[in-house]
Amino acid sequence: MKALTATRYGGVEVLEMADVPVPLPGPGQVQVRIAAAGLNPADLRLVSGVFKESAPLTFPHVPGSDFAGTVTRVGEGVERFATGDEVFGLGLARSAGSMASLLCSPPPFTTGTMAEYAVFEAATPAMALLPSGLPAEHAATLPMAALTALPLLRAWDFGQGMKVLVVGATGGVGGAVVPLLAARGVHVIATAIPEDEAYARRLGAAEVIDYRSAELGPETLRRHPGGIDALVNLALPGDALPAVAPVVRPGGRLLNIAFPSPGPATGFETLYTAARPGDLEEVGGLAVKGVLPDTVGRRYRLEEAARAYAGLVREHVPGKIVVTAGR
């Protein structure tokens, strides 16, 4: 089968298309024919080698985590899914065991979604049946972003009228965080460049701050002298948080998921995705209802997957980049 592979650690230059054996499911696993796969920065971080001490890769490595597709084979003991089921979800390389365990239990291992076929653990809550009426491309943008957003919203009692600054609102995770907050009646203040303002408002932002033309902290306090209720950081590196933290009023919250994380001495809280059984089904339902909108910003064919990852690194694309099988 055709797959995007890396044969060594490095940047996007080590990614290339190759013919590799079709992965077969073992006990408790399913094989899926991939219809669409969403790109995530974490895919490239694994390939870069930044996690090679804690999550060493086995080469050749097929990147990719988010996906939607059709179950084509089931392994022994699998009852949750059957051949022909339309599914969506996410997975990580088995060699990234400790990282995958943070996502959910059982861990969502995969052979890599940037391929014609991939194998997944059937019992993981990070895979679910594709709801009727949800296109594969839309579904492939949801798992990592929405399963990261849900723990953020559970971390505090976000409610009607609260003022929340979302830094990185037009990125992949922002495409889930902003509409989910807006659905709760939160007054969302989004960071975005002028070209992306319409997109941020379509997600549900009530205000937009151009972070390139104004200092984020002073501009937020100029607009809201009493401070805001919470800051959700999806983009700033940890060492940049102290400068913007004063925008949060006393008793408010600063929630961070960005990499690299702030050090423990800073007192800032970093949250990690922890998917619960039923979370992905909830995500699918919210997408069908229109609460989680289609955030596809650019599409590529599987044979263009290396170029898609290059675009993720070198070009500004609001929303998600998706690779499709083209069948």
Side-chain angles (χ1 to χ4, degrees):
M1 69 170 184
K2 299 292 185 183
L4 184 69
T5 64
T7 56
R8 66 187 189 280
Y9 288 116
V12 292
E13 73 279 354
V14 306
L15 300 175
E16 58 184 21
M17 294 301 298
D19 287 309
V20 300
V22 175
L24 299 176
Q29 298 178 329
V30 297
Q31 180 196 74
V32 175
R33 185 179 69 216
I34 304 297
L39 278 64
N40 290 296
D43 303 342
L44 292 177
R45 291 195 195 110
L46 283 172
V47 172
S48 74
V50 68
F51 296 125
K52 64 181 176 182
E53 297 300 323
S54 59
L57 297 180
T58 300
F59 296 106
H61 167 72
V62 178
S65 47
D66 285 350
F67 78 97
T70 304
V71 175
T72 43
R73 291 192 181 189
V74 298
E76 180 182 351
V78 174
E79 297 181 357
R80 187 178 173 210
F81 301 106
T83 300
D85 282 346
E86 303 291 324
V87 294
F88 75 118
L90 68 88
L92 289 178
R94 186 168 294 276
S95 53
S98 59
M99 295 177 62
S101 297
L102 290 174
L103 289 172
C104 58
S105 180
F109 295 127
T110 182
T111 54
T113 62
M114 289 295 155
E116 293 180 286
Y117 293 87
V119 164
F120 302 88
E121 302 296 325
T124 177
M127 185 164 69
L129 292 172
L130 185 70
S132 175
L134 182 61
E137 289 185 19
H138 186 179
T141 68
L142 294 170
M144 186 71 78
L147 294 181
T148 301
L150 287 179
L152 282 170
L153 269 68
R154 290 178 183 138
W156 205 38
D157 187 20
F158 292 98
Q160 184 76 33
M162 284 187 173
K163 298 174 182 177
V164 178
L165 174 64
V166 179
V167 181
T170 60
V173 178
V177 168
V178 172
L180 288 175
L181 285 172
R184 295 189 178 193
V186 170
H187 180 97
V188 177
I189 308 158
T191 64
I193 60 176
E195 295 89 333
D196 295 343
E197 179 170 352
Y199 173 74
R201 291 188 181 277
R202 182 168 70 84
L203 292 177
E207 293 182 53
V208 176
I209 295 177
D210 176 8
Y211 59 89
R212 290 183 178 176
S213 64
E215 288 189 60
L216 185 55
E219 177 62 16
T220 302
L221 290 175
R222 185 188 70 80
R223 299 185 186 195
H224 304 280
I228 59 172
D229 297 290
L231 188 159
V232 176
N233 179 46
L234 311 177
L236 290 175
D239 60 4
L241 286 178
V244 71
V247 303
V248 181
R249 64 167 177 77
R253 292 290 297 275
L254 191 157
L255 302 173
N256 174 68
I257 66 156
F259 178 87
S261 301
T266 64
F268 297 135
E269 181 178 6
T270 297
L271 297 178
Y272 297 97
T273 299
R276 302 174 181 175
D279 275 0
L280 200 55
E281 287 83 354
E282 178 183 352
V283 166
L286 290 170
V288 170
K289 293 176 182 177
V291 176
L292 287 171
D294 186 342
T295 60
V296 177
R298 191 167 297 173
R299 295 170 174 82
Y300 293 86
R301 302 282 291 273
L302 177 58
E303 57 267 28
E304 302 172 308
R307 189 155 66 89
Y309 276 110
L312 181 65
V313 173
R314 299 166 183 162
E315 301 174 23
H316 176 76
V317 180
K320 297 282 288 187
I321 297 175
V322 171
V323 166
T324 63
R327 283 184 293 270

